[in-house]
Amino acid sequence: MTRMTEPVLGISAVPTKLHRFLGVELEIAPGVLVPREETELLGLTAISILTEEQAGPLVIDMCCGSGNLGLAVAGAIATARVLGADLTDETVGLARRNVERLGFGPRVKIFQGDLFDAMNGQDLAGKVDMIICNPPYISARRLEDSLAHLLVDEPREAFDGGPFGISILQRVVRDSVPFLRPGGTLVFEFGEGQHQQVAHLLTRVSAYDQVSFVDNEAGIPRVAVARKQV
């Protein structure tokens, strides 16, 4: 659900739409993915895992979009530090505005770049407790026909997962490994029907020794949880 509100002073010169996600009220804007209710399963899974572990977790929110997942984690876990990353100027600008308007600046930082290239120079190797990601996972062909309507108001970069829908997933699974500490967790969303493909991707990367899947209310696997070997 969205609603109109007056702009936050110094952030926007026009009225903005707000969208609630896991208790966090986010500004949304044209050209940036609107957080889906289905992605709350990913956020709740991440928060549940982090709550059971040590205080002060360091979290990367990869493909952060408006910042919804990282800000939900920061809101639920007062000691969490979150580093968000995305590719486009519009998305990174919006995520930074959301961080500012919600007052999470001391604990949440947003970087720009192509996936983990955004984290270059941050000295994060082997230090990250969790990487959470809602990546593009729709095949390019489906975006040209049955799902073309998604591109009317939202950017292709938020949906296009390449020819088979797993190009970005493949990179995230592989490139997360150097950043995660031993025992750290990769948690990500994937599309309906991609369960076996995702299991294969995780198996091919021998760095993960505990892999599980979380089903939605319909009993369909939609979230993967993979622990890095200790």
Side-chain angles (χ1 to χ4, degrees):
M1 178 180 295
T2 62
R3 68 180 179 84
M4 300 299 290
T5 185
E6 292 301 314
V8 177
L9 186 62
I11 295 179
S12 177
V14 297
T16 59
K17 290 183 178 180
L18 296 184
H19 180 93
R20 199 161 187 83
F21 180 89
L22 289 180
V24 178
E25 201 162 56
L26 301 156
E27 177 187 340
I28 59 174
V32 181
L33 180 72
V34 177
R36 269 49 171 184
E37 183 177 356
E38 64 194 35
T39 301
E40 292 190 355
L41 178 63
L42 173 59
L44 290 171
T45 299
I47 290 167
S48 176
I49 293 169
L50 290 168
T51 300
E52 295 174 358
E53 298 185 350
Q54 77 278 3
L58 176 60
V59 178
I60 290 179
D61 176 13
M62 185 54 61
C63 306
C64 69
S66 62
N68 54 303
L69 287 163
L71 290 167
V73 167
I77 302 173
T79 58
R81 293 183 297 136
V82 180
L83 306 178
D86 217 307
L87 181 62
T88 67
D89 293 342
E90 293 85 357
T91 301
V92 169
L94 178 62
R96 287 172 174 166
R97 292 200 302 274
N98 278 322
V99 170
E100 181 179 344
R101 67 180 300 279
L102 292 169
F104 282 118
R107 293 194 290 122
V108 182
K109 304 295 181 185
I110 307 296
F111 299 89
Q112 184 169 9
D114 181 15
L115 295 180
F116 288 95
D117 286 349
M119 299 300 170
N120 288 342
Q122 298 305 312
D123 189 27
L124 297 174
K127 297 179 181 180
V128 178
D129 296 291
M130 175 177 283
I131 296 171
I132 183 171
C133 184
N134 179 23
Y137 52 71
I138 298 174
S139 70
R141 182 175 180 178
R142 293 185 68 199
L143 288 173
E144 296 298 336
D145 45 51
S146 62
L147 296 178
H149 64 278
L150 293 174
L151 305 182
V152 173
D153 296 312
E154 296 173 284
R156 188 182 191 94
E157 294 88 351
F159 299 104
D160 193 339
F164 302 102
I166 60 170
S167 297
I168 305 301
L169 285 170
Q170 189 172 30
R171 293 176 61 193
V172 169
V173 167
R174 180 192 65 213
D175 295 347
S176 292
V177 175
F179 290 87
L180 289 169
R181 65 166 173 80
T185 311
L186 170 63
V187 188
F188 62 93
E189 182 176 312
F190 54 87
E192 291 188 19
Q194 293 180 332
H195 172 218
Q196 295 299 330
Q197 290 171 298
V198 168
H200 180 63
L201 290 177
L202 289 166
T203 300
R204 285 174 55 189
V205 179
S206 58
Y208 302 107
D209 62 1
Q210 296 181 46
V211 175
S212 60
F213 296 93
V214 183
D215 296 350
N216 62 15
E217 292 182 354
I220 300 171
R222 293 301 308 275
V223 170
V225 179
R227 297 261 186 183
K228 183 179 176 181
Q229 294 176 357
V230 176

